[in-house]
Amino acid sequence: MSQSSAHALPSYLDAGHLGPWGIYLQQVDRVTPYLGPLARWVETLKRPKRALIVDVPIEMDNGTIAHFEGYRVQHNTSRGPGKGGVRFHQDVTLSEVMALAAWMSVKNAAVNLPYGGAKGGIRVDPRKLSQSEIERMTRRYTSEIGVIIGPAKDIPAPDVNTNAQIMAWMMDTYSMNEGATATGVVTGKPISLGGSLGRIEATGRGVFVVACEAARDLNIDVAGAKVIVQGFGNVGGTAARLFHEAGAVVVAAQDHTGTVYNPAGLDVHKLLAHVSNKGGVGGFSGGEALANADFWGLETDFLIPAALENQITSENAGKVRAKVVVEGANGPTTPEADDILHDNGVYVVPDVLANAGGVTVSYFEWVQDFSSFFWSEDEINHRLERLMREAYAAIAQMSREQKVSLRTAAFIVACTRILQARQVRGLYP
């Protein structure tokens, strides 16, 4: 990759195959000219503070011993302890975990949470393991990374193929090794173990809140606005319901089962029930089936990609007829597509801002665990909405001042906050 020649790369990375870390380095290069005197510290952003690779041996149900590769990367902890998810996936690599940790640094700083960025993972296909094997693997992994995690050091959370049960096992393992219950070591836990109300809907609610802020800036009335949503799970489904309840018209929804379209508006509550029963939007009787490729060209006020990465590409970005794209998923828009959307006047609210509601309520969970005092769901939603609005306002202001996209503005705001903390702390010793 071309960026390999511009960066002093650590010896454990292959300059020819940087993977996701290479994309992150390009983003740092793009933001560097806006950092002023802080650019002196920019190499800080290009190196993870700490990367731990562990062997995770477990006894399988059939009596054999299996070994799995585990990672925990802390990209930056200048602003506070590391925070980021743990994923169980067969394609997990060090490059991917490094990039995800770095993007968590950016996301946490963009919404001004007192965290650094971290991420973890095990290279495994969890579908091939029994529940008891997954438990043993989770516990051994937690024990191996236990030297660098903790409520004041680094706080894992659920990510791809992990959930509240995995977090419960991680919390219990860490607590057993510490000799005391430590609820604050992970977030995304079951409510019975110090989890937070509002956590499941948090990401979708954050998407809706920043969409409303963008609508105000662009003089779009949310009541009566057209909305199309890709992905109808926790994030897309919650955002669609909140839009529907605010008087917007959700005209199309797409997921892995197909696309449904109704120009008069889909009944979102009935569609959510259908998805719950059937596993997807396909076959919903309240709308007509539409070719998946035609979804992107629908005329709409809001497009919410809330499924997988790399959905809006150089091939379909030119078809998009939305006024606003609000990224509910991580990385749904490729850099090439981003430039096309920008040139076509599409206003993109980037993932590092739009989907930060999840980590924001994880922060609330951590605070509640520390104080052993828990808030009502109304309090949590009000605090979430206030934080998301403040974050949007700061990033939109930067966008106007520097005449850059919201994505670049989010990186300017975040990287400035990270490097200011690095600068005032200085170097020790």
Side-chain angles (χ1 to χ4, degrees):
M1 282 192 174
S2 59
Q3 67 268 25
S4 61
S5 59
H7 299 113
L9 291 171
S11 61
Y12 50 80
L13 287 182
D14 177 359
H17 299 89
L18 285 179
W21 183 250
I23 295 172
Y24 166 73
L25 289 178
Q26 290 178 44
Q27 293 169 330
V28 174
D29 285 344
R30 189 172 278 197
V31 80
T32 303
Y34 300 97
L35 297 177
L38 288 172
R40 172 176 179 242
W41 295 92
V42 78
E43 288 295 317
T44 301
L45 300 171
K46 300 178 188 177
R47 291 165 167 75
K49 175 183 174 64
R50 185 179 287 120
L52 180 63
I53 305 172
V54 295
D55 178 39
V56 185
I58 65 164
E59 184 174 348
M60 304 294 278
D61 292 343
N62 64 7
T64 61
I65 305 298
H67 292 257
F68 301 97
E69 245 177 73
Y71 302 99
R72 186 70 185 176
V73 174
Q74 294 164 353
H75 172 257
N76 187 280
T77 56
S78 294
R79 302 181 72 253
K83 186 83 189 79
V86 173
R87 59 177 51 183
F88 292 171
H89 197 275
Q90 61 273 16
D91 295 331
V92 163
T93 63
L94 180 59
S95 167
E96 178 188 58
V97 178
M98 284 169 58
L100 291 166
W103 285 321
M104 284 304 300
S105 292
V106 173
K107 186 180 295 187
N108 287 323
V111 291
N112 213 14
L113 300 179
Y115 287 138
K119 206 77 178 187
I122 302 178
R123 193 174 171 86
V124 61
D125 184 348
R127 295 169 298 184
K128 296 180 178 177
L129 271 59
S130 69
Q131 188 77 344
S132 58
E133 287 168 340
I134 290 174
E135 179 178 355
R136 291 195 291 276
M137 182 183 69
T138 300
R139 289 183 180 278
R140 181 64 190 232
Y141 168 73
T142 307
S143 194
E144 294 290 348
I145 67 167
V147 290
I148 65 167
I149 64 170
K153 291 181 181 177
D154 180 3
I155 307 105
D159 197 77
V160 175
N161 294 330
T162 57
N163 54 26
Q165 178 60 74
I166 301 286
M167 293 305 108
W169 289 330
M170 290 188 73
M171 188 212 86
D172 182 67
T173 304
Y174 181 87
S175 297
M176 291 300 102
N177 288 337
E178 289 291 302
T181 297
T183 54
V185 69
V186 293
T187 59
K189 301 181 297 295
I191 298 292
S192 58
L193 290 180
S196 179
L197 297 169
R199 177 64 186 83
I200 291 171
E201 288 194 346
T203 308
R205 186 173 295 277
V207 167
F208 173 70
V209 170
V210 295
C212 290
E213 295 301 295
R216 187 176 295 114
D217 274 357
L218 300 174
N219 293 317
I220 298 170
D221 191 348
V222 172
K226 289 183 182 177
V227 182
I228 63 175
V229 183
Q230 187 200 35
F232 226 73
N234 269 350
V235 180
T238 299
R241 177 177 60 78
L242 292 169
F243 267 111
H244 180 70
E245 290 170 358
V249 184
V250 179
V251 296
Q254 180 184 94
D255 65 12
H256 63 285
T257 63
T259 304
V260 291
Y261 171 64
N262 186 336
L266 299 163
D267 185 320
V268 172
H269 292 285
K270 286 183 179 176
L271 181 54
L272 285 167
H274 173 86
V275 171
S276 180
N277 289 331
K278 303 293 185 181
V281 302
F284 179 60
S285 59
E288 60 184 270
L290 194 69
N292 284 341
D294 293 340
F295 171 82
W296 303 103
L298 291 172
E299 192 168 338
T300 184
D301 294 295
F302 295 96
L303 162 58
I304 316 288
L308 298 170
E309 65 276 0
N310 298 335
Q311 295 301 296
I312 305 177
T313 66
S314 56
E315 293 182 7
N316 63 8
K319 299 177 186 173
V320 171
R321 294 163 70 202
K323 294 175 183 171
V324 188
V325 173
V326 188
E327 296 182 339
N330 285 315
T333 310
T334 68
E336 298 81 9
D338 213 21
D339 291 337
I340 293 168
L341 294 175
H342 185 262
D343 290 345
N344 290 346
V346 180
Y347 192 76
V348 179
V349 186
D351 49 1
V352 290
L353 168 61
N355 69 23
V359 71
T360 301
V361 176
S362 274
Y363 164 59
F364 296 164
E365 178 178 335
W366 180 71
V367 169
Q368 291 169 87
D369 287 338
F370 263 120
S371 61
S372 296
F373 180 78
F374 291 85
W375 313 338
S376 70
E377 192 157 358
D378 277 349
E379 282 178 281
I380 286 160
N381 289 341
H382 283 308
R383 290 174 196 244
L384 168 65
E385 289 168 18
R386 180 176 58 81
L387 269 177
M388 295 295 289
R389 280 196 293 268
E390 288 173 356
Y392 175 88
I395 290 166
Q397 175 70 17
M398 180 64 72
S399 171
R400 288 189 291 269
E401 284 176 7
Q402 298 290 349
K403 297 182 172 56
V404 293
S405 69
L406 279 189
R407 191 183 312 277
T408 300
F411 270 77
I412 295 171
V413 168
C415 294
T416 297
R417 286 172 175 163
I418 294 166
L419 296 182
Q420 280 174 339
R422 172 73 279 170
Q423 179 167 279
V424 294
R425 287 181 67 154
L427 296 175
Y428 173 85

